[in-house]
Amino acid sequence: MNVYYNPLDKICKSITGGIKRNENIIFNVFGDGDEPCLFVYFKDGGEARYLHMQKSEKCWTLQLSLSEPGLYFYYFIIGGSKAGLGKMRNLEFSEQITYYQLLVYTEDYKTPDWFKGGIMYQIFPDRFYKGKSIVPEKGKWLHDNWNEMPEYRMNEQGKVLNNDFFGGNFDGIVQKLDYLKGLGITVIYLNPIFKAYSNHRYDTGDYMQIDPLLGNDADFDNFITECERRGIAVILDGVFNHTGDDSRYFNKYGNYDELGAYQSKDSKYYAWYNFKHFPDKYESWWGIDVLPSVNESCDSYANFITGTDGVIDHWIRRGVSGFRLDVADELPDEFIEKIRNAAHAARADALIIGEVWEDASNKIAYSKRRKYLQGKELDSVMNYPLKDAIIKFLKSENTEVLREAIAQLRDNYPKCVLDSLMNILGTHDTSRILTVLGGVPAYNKDEMNVTVMSEEVKVKAKVLLKIAAVLQYTLFGVPCIYYGDEIGMEGYGDPFCRHTFSWDKIDNDLLGYYKRLGKMRRHLTLFRDSEYRELYADEKCLVYERAAGDQQVIVAINLGNNLFDIKFNGKLFDLFDNDVFEGKFTILPQSCTILSNIRLNI
């Protein structure tokens, strides 16, 4: 049967991606047959409804609006045969169909406009730059050499203490803000900054206190002021699923001047935690006993985080622009909603980003379907699906996985979320992107500690990294540089991906490339919210367009050995080489090109 339906084609589905509650949407299935066509849909977990589509000369048509936010699924029955989701979102007939998805969100859902079109920069605070010297507290030690590897070996009890520090702090970041401004950075995302025992600070000790090794309140305020002066927003890491056992709230070691939950059932914090057998057996994050889990449904805890003068309110009023929520999958929907409400009460356009590693529109976590993007919880998520697809594309030289990922995100996410996605290539939780693209294996931490790429391998990895960066910067969403990726830092998994910034080993060629990409985004406003359109694709070549108003960008990536011609009206300018092309451009083998109808003096 010859029929056509693709939800990314607006002649088939009038609105791309998720839709608002009560918003009218038109579905068209094209075909020249006279068979009846049924539109079958159901809300997640609900019963199916069957609607007859009206037949015209060229297509079957249906207009629909849905009054309840939520996740819906749909498929078609044409002439008695089921048809659902196939490759690249095209219609496929099968008895074992895959459903199309339709996310319905609240009509007042919008994401912060100030974030769109910008560039993020993630900083692991202890490892970026050491400003004024600060003496570590008892139980912590400071490396003498900035360029040493972080400690990774276990002690006699089989634990890595994470109590070694390098001294990176707020004063150091301030000294490098002009460097970040030169990259075009508009948002800094900081890994945890609150007082904690460990160097990663995911074991919060006091949510209301800056870790002394990072500086004091005046240092933080100066950091915020200097960022604001340069037009840079600040996002903090919100670790609200667990605290440290060495914290004001749990106080296992008696280091705080308050009665902690571990010390007594009379503690005002006792209800925050879930004890299996008081005091030594308690729920903890992934069974790690230094990270006791908190009970987010506990009213006093929820109020402490999200109430008036609570943690969210306090730090946003101190000048931060939002939070990235650690392990969002482990935070109840109701708690995330309270966080968003608290953030918006303090700042109407505050940004809430979730750590979600999969498709956030239909994620099931702990046997429960999540509601992240239905209008009341998250503005954005870390775009791991795109990251993984980019890496697979570059390592396999096959565009299919990348094209499928792009299509899935466009089909499943609300447009306002799509424009706000946190596009990552690496984070503190993953190996450095250059190391991944280099592909040199290391099988244990001792090997990871000493393994580096040869110059020959590094040259090839850099070529791939530049292509990855082009994708990261020109696809929908906001690119996020993990500190040091822009200068060619290497590193396997934690803690080797958390090495100190190599200020004395900067790859200026790579840095210049990132600076040029940054200038491109600063000069071309189309990256804020323009549509994505695939112009051509085969196994090894992908060409796509971003366009809005009078601005146009065409990205051509060719990992194969064939030549391709792009024909167009007028002139296009190569944003890297400043070459001018009129009427035609030839895509060369093994090339990556960004063309624009706007000539940029960058």
PDB file of all heavy atoms in Angstrom, residues 408-420:
ATOM      1  N   GLN A 408      14.109  11.701  16.574  1.00  0.00           N
ATOM      2  CA  GLN A 408      13.390  11.345  17.804  1.00  0.00           C
ATOM      3  C   GLN A 408      13.225  12.543  18.721  1.00  0.00           C
ATOM      4  O   GLN A 408      12.136  12.781  19.265  1.00  0.00           O
ATOM      5  CB  GLN A 408      14.136  10.226  18.528  1.00  0.00           C
ATOM      6  CG  GLN A 408      13.489   9.816  19.846  1.00  0.00           C
ATOM      7  CD  GLN A 408      14.215   8.665  20.513  1.00  0.00           C
ATOM      8  OE1 GLN A 408      14.648   7.739  19.845  1.00  0.00           O
ATOM      9  NE2 GLN A 408      14.353   8.726  21.822  1.00  0.00           N
ATOM     10  N   LEU A 409      14.281  13.300  18.914  1.00  0.00           N
ATOM     11  CA  LEU A 409      14.198  14.472  19.787  1.00  0.00           C
ATOM     12  C   LEU A 409      13.216  15.498  19.230  1.00  0.00           C
ATOM     13  O   LEU A 409      12.411  16.080  19.975  1.00  0.00           O
ATOM     14  CB  LEU A 409      15.585  15.092  19.958  1.00  0.00           C
ATOM     15  CG  LEU A 409      16.597  14.251  20.745  1.00  0.00           C
ATOM     16  CD1 LEU A 409      17.999  14.840  20.627  1.00  0.00           C
ATOM     17  CD2 LEU A 409      16.200  14.129  22.214  1.00  0.00           C
ATOM     18  N   ARG A 410      13.272  15.735  17.943  1.00  0.00           N
ATOM     19  CA  ARG A 410      12.372  16.711  17.327  1.00  0.00           C
ATOM     20  C   ARG A 410      10.917  16.273  17.440  1.00  0.00           C
ATOM     21  O   ARG A 410      10.015  17.102  17.619  1.00  0.00           O
ATOM     22  CB  ARG A 410      12.739  16.913  15.858  1.00  0.00           C
ATOM     23  CG  ARG A 410      14.070  17.606  15.625  1.00  0.00           C
ATOM     24  CD  ARG A 410      14.340  17.768  14.131  1.00  0.00           C
ATOM     25  NE  ARG A 410      13.331  18.616  13.516  1.00  0.00           N
ATOM     26  CZ  ARG A 410      12.832  18.444  12.302  1.00  0.00           C
ATOM     27  NH1 ARG A 410      13.245  17.406  11.564  1.00  0.00           N
ATOM     28  NH2 ARG A 410      11.935  19.264  11.811  1.00  0.00           N
ATOM     29  N   ASP A 411      10.674  14.981  17.320  1.00  0.00           N
ATOM     30  CA  ASP A 411       9.312  14.461  17.362  1.00  0.00           C
ATOM     31  C   ASP A 411       8.755  14.410  18.782  1.00  0.00           C
ATOM     32  O   ASP A 411       7.561  14.637  18.994  1.00  0.00           O
ATOM     33  CB  ASP A 411       9.294  13.059  16.746  1.00  0.00           C
ATOM     34  CG  ASP A 411       7.881  12.551  16.459  1.00  0.00           C
ATOM     35  OD1 ASP A 411       6.955  13.378  16.388  1.00  0.00           O
ATOM     36  OD2 ASP A 411       7.722  11.336  16.285  1.00  0.00           O
ATOM     37  N   ASN A 412       9.608  14.140  19.752  1.00  0.00           N
ATOM     38  CA  ASN A 412       9.127  13.864  21.107  1.00  0.00           C
ATOM     39  C   ASN A 412       9.122  15.067  22.040  1.00  0.00           C
ATOM     40  O   ASN A 412       8.333  15.104  22.987  1.00  0.00           O
ATOM     41  CB  ASN A 412       9.979  12.762  21.740  1.00  0.00           C
ATOM     42  CG  ASN A 412       9.726  11.405  21.116  1.00  0.00           C
ATOM     43  OD1 ASN A 412       8.880  11.259  20.241  1.00  0.00           O
ATOM     44  ND2 ASN A 412      10.461  10.403  21.559  1.00  0.00           N
ATOM     45  N   TYR A 413       9.982  16.035  21.826  1.00  0.00           N
ATOM     46  CA  TYR A 413      10.129  17.136  22.775  1.00  0.00           C
ATOM     47  C   TYR A 413       9.307  18.360  22.364  1.00  0.00           C
ATOM     48  O   TYR A 413       9.180  18.649  21.167  1.00  0.00           O
ATOM     49  CB  TYR A 413      11.592  17.557  22.880  1.00  0.00           C
ATOM     50  CG  TYR A 413      12.480  16.631  23.683  1.00  0.00           C
ATOM     51  CD1 TYR A 413      12.174  15.283  23.844  1.00  0.00           C
ATOM     52  CD2 TYR A 413      13.648  17.098  24.270  1.00  0.00           C
ATOM     53  CE1 TYR A 413      12.996  14.447  24.577  1.00  0.00           C
ATOM     54  CE2 TYR A 413      14.487  16.271  24.998  1.00  0.00           C
ATOM     55  CZ  TYR A 413      14.154  14.943  25.156  1.00  0.00           C
ATOM     56  OH  TYR A 413      14.967  14.110  25.870  1.00  0.00           O
ATOM     57  N   PRO A 414       8.797  19.124  23.327  1.00  0.00           N
ATOM     58  CA  PRO A 414       8.235  20.438  23.008  1.00  0.00           C
ATOM     59  C   PRO A 414       9.323  21.328  22.394  1.00  0.00           C
ATOM     60  O   PRO A 414      10.493  21.231  22.778  1.00  0.00           O
ATOM     61  CB  PRO A 414       7.793  20.970  24.371  1.00  0.00           C
ATOM     62  CG  PRO A 414       7.619  19.752  25.228  1.00  0.00           C
ATOM     63  CD  PRO A 414       8.657  18.784  24.751  1.00  0.00           C
ATOM     64  N   LYS A 415       8.933  22.191  21.472  1.00  0.00           N
ATOM     65  CA  LYS A 415       9.908  23.040  20.794  1.00  0.00           C
ATOM     66  C   LYS A 415      10.674  23.909  21.788  1.00  0.00           C
ATOM     67  O   LYS A 415      11.888  24.124  21.648  1.00  0.00           O
ATOM     68  CB  LYS A 415       9.196  23.924  19.764  1.00  0.00           C
ATOM     69  CG  LYS A 415      10.113  24.853  18.969  1.00  0.00           C
ATOM     70  CD  LYS A 415      11.063  24.079  18.080  1.00  0.00           C
ATOM     71  CE  LYS A 415      11.707  24.963  17.006  1.00  0.00           C
ATOM     72  NZ  LYS A 415      12.572  26.029  17.552  1.00  0.00           N
ATOM     73  N   CYS A 416      10.008  24.403  22.820  1.00  0.00           N
ATOM     74  CA  CYS A 416      10.680  25.278  23.791  1.00  0.00           C
ATOM     75  C   CYS A 416      11.754  24.523  24.563  1.00  0.00           C
ATOM     76  O   CYS A 416      12.744  25.118  25.000  1.00  0.00           O
ATOM     77  CB  CYS A 416       9.669  25.912  24.741  1.00  0.00           C
ATOM     78  SG  CYS A 416       8.756  24.743  25.785  1.00  0.00           S
ATOM     79  N   VAL A 417      11.582  23.205  24.726  1.00  0.00           N
ATOM     80  CA  VAL A 417      12.606  22.380  25.373  1.00  0.00           C
ATOM     81  C   VAL A 417      13.729  22.084  24.398  1.00  0.00           C
ATOM     82  O   VAL A 417      14.912  22.150  24.746  1.00  0.00           O
ATOM     83  CB  VAL A 417      12.002  21.062  25.899  1.00  0.00           C
ATOM     84  CG1 VAL A 417      13.092  20.131  26.427  1.00  0.00           C
ATOM     85  CG2 VAL A 417      10.973  21.344  26.984  1.00  0.00           C
ATOM     86  N   LEU A 418      13.367  21.777  23.163  1.00  0.00           N
ATOM     87  CA  LEU A 418      14.351  21.478  22.124  1.00  0.00           C
ATOM     88  C   LEU A 418      15.378  22.607  22.007  1.00  0.00           C
ATOM     89  O   LEU A 418      16.581  22.364  21.885  1.00  0.00           O
ATOM     90  CB  LEU A 418      13.629  21.280  20.796  1.00  0.00           C
ATOM     91  CG  LEU A 418      14.308  20.449  19.723  1.00  0.00           C
ATOM     92  CD1 LEU A 418      14.439  19.000  20.165  1.00  0.00           C
ATOM     93  CD2 LEU A 418      13.534  20.537  18.423  1.00  0.00           C
ATOM     94  N   ASP A 419      14.909  23.845  22.074  1.00  0.00           N
ATOM     95  CA  ASP A 419      15.797  25.000  21.948  1.00  0.00           C
ATOM     96  C   ASP A 419      16.632  25.234  23.202  1.00  0.00           C
ATOM     97  O   ASP A 419      17.565  26.054  23.180  1.00  0.00           O
ATOM     98  CB  ASP A 419      14.978  26.257  21.648  1.00  0.00           C
ATOM     99  CG  ASP A 419      14.282  26.191  20.305  1.00  0.00           C
ATOM    100  OD1 ASP A 419      14.827  25.556  19.384  1.00  0.00           O
ATOM    101  OD2 ASP A 419      13.176  26.761  20.176  1.00  0.00           O
ATOM    102  N   SER A 420      16.308  24.528  24.285  1.00  0.00           N
ATOM    103  CA  SER A 420      16.998  24.737  25.559  1.00  0.00           C
ATOM    104  C   SER A 420      17.811  23.535  26.007  1.00  0.00           C
ATOM    105  O   SER A 420      18.343  23.538  27.126  1.00  0.00           O
ATOM    106  CB  SER A 420      15.968  25.071  26.659  1.00  0.00           C
ATOM    107  OG  SER A 420      15.183  26.178  26.300  1.00  0.00           O
TER     108      SER A 420
END
